[in-house]
Amino acid sequence: MPTIPRSVWTALLAVLAMVIGALALTPHPPPTLDTGWDKLNHVLAFAALAFCAQHAAQGARWPAPAWQFGVLAYGVLIEIAQTAVPGRHGEWPDLLADAVGIVLGVTAASLSLRRKQGITPPDGA
């Protein structure tokens, strides 16, 4: 399987951040992009962001806690901004769902990168 360049992951991360931001700050997002449960929407969005961020950060000088905090800070900014959008409101449970998504995205990306590097988990893991 060909390796995707870091620049592609970075571009995908930027596009995802813009799309997620636009959807989060739209008073009435398209129903076709809604899972039907707001918290699941948050988990999936931030899992995708974290997955791309982990791949984009490979070989970069940013330590993992810095970019992970950055992704969570983006969620905080969205929640704050939503307080000014009619029909929207910021919620702590949304931020918790963002954090769960980040953990899932980081875990999936770590497994993906380990597999790409030929590192397999020990038996039973």
Side-chain angles (χ1 to χ4, degrees), residues 44-114:
L44 293 174
F46 279 80
L49 281 175
F51 186 88
C52 289
Q54 175 118 354
H55 280 84
Q58 285 303 111
R61 293 184 179 172
W62 287 80
W67 67 257
Q68 292 166 357
F69 178 77
V71 174
L72 185 59
Y74 184 61
V76 170
L77 290 174
I78 286 173
E79 293 306 313
I80 291 169
Q82 281 183 335
T83 63
V85 177
R88 294 293 197 136
H89 52 279
E91 296 181 330
W92 285 106
D94 287 350
L95 193 56
L96 178 60
D98 296 347
V100 169
I102 292 167
V103 170
L104 293 175
V106 166
T107 301
S110 295
L111 292 171
S112 165
L113 290 165
R114 288 177 65 148

Side-chain angles (χ1 to χ4, degrees), residues 18-39:
M18 287 186 286
V19 168
I20 290 166
L23 289 171
L25 299 176
T26 301
H28 305 287
T32 55
L33 297 177
D34 188 354
T35 64
W37 185 36
D38 178 56
K39 303 311 174 247

